[in-house]
Amino acid sequence: MPEVEITATENGPLKVTGPLTLTDVDGNVYDLSERGKAVYLCRCGGSTNKPFCDGTHSKTAFEAAERAVAEADSA
Ligand code: FES
């Protein structure tokens, strides 16, 4: 079975691939059939087509913290 993969892009959206269902707050399912193999979800808050990225992040100089941070030693 294929897995869902979520990848943070450089100062941009989250790229989501794999078998997924995207549902809004009211329980309505988004039609993803026209979006190909990947869905790009806005994480800058500026898209006029939320939850999808519309490229606004590149106009607003959005800076994301896309690097995973290792947990500090607890000892
Ligand atoms: S991440 Fe692209 S418009 Fe928000």
Side-chain angles (χ1 to χ4, degrees):
M1 173 184 265
E3 295 182 5
V4 173
E5 182 175 6
I6 303 172
T7 306
T9 64
E10 184 83 30
N11 296 322
L14 296 174
K15 177 183 178 185
V16 185
T17 58
L20 63 108
T21 300
L22 184 59
T23 307
D24 73 10
V25 70
D26 296 323
N28 302 306
V29 176
Y30 289 93
D31 178 7
L32 304 176
S33 62
E34 301 291 322
R35 297 191 173 269
K37 295 181 179 177
V39 173
Y40 294 86
L41 299 178
C42 176
R43 65 177 170 144
C44 76
S47 175
T48 59
N49 192 29
K50 295 181 188 80
F52 306 105
C53 171
D54 68 356
T56 298
H57 64 271
S58 63
K59 299 172 189 161
T60 60
F62 173 65
E63 292 184 25
E66 62 269 346
R67 303 296 186 272
V69 178
E71 286 188 38
D73 291 338
S74 58

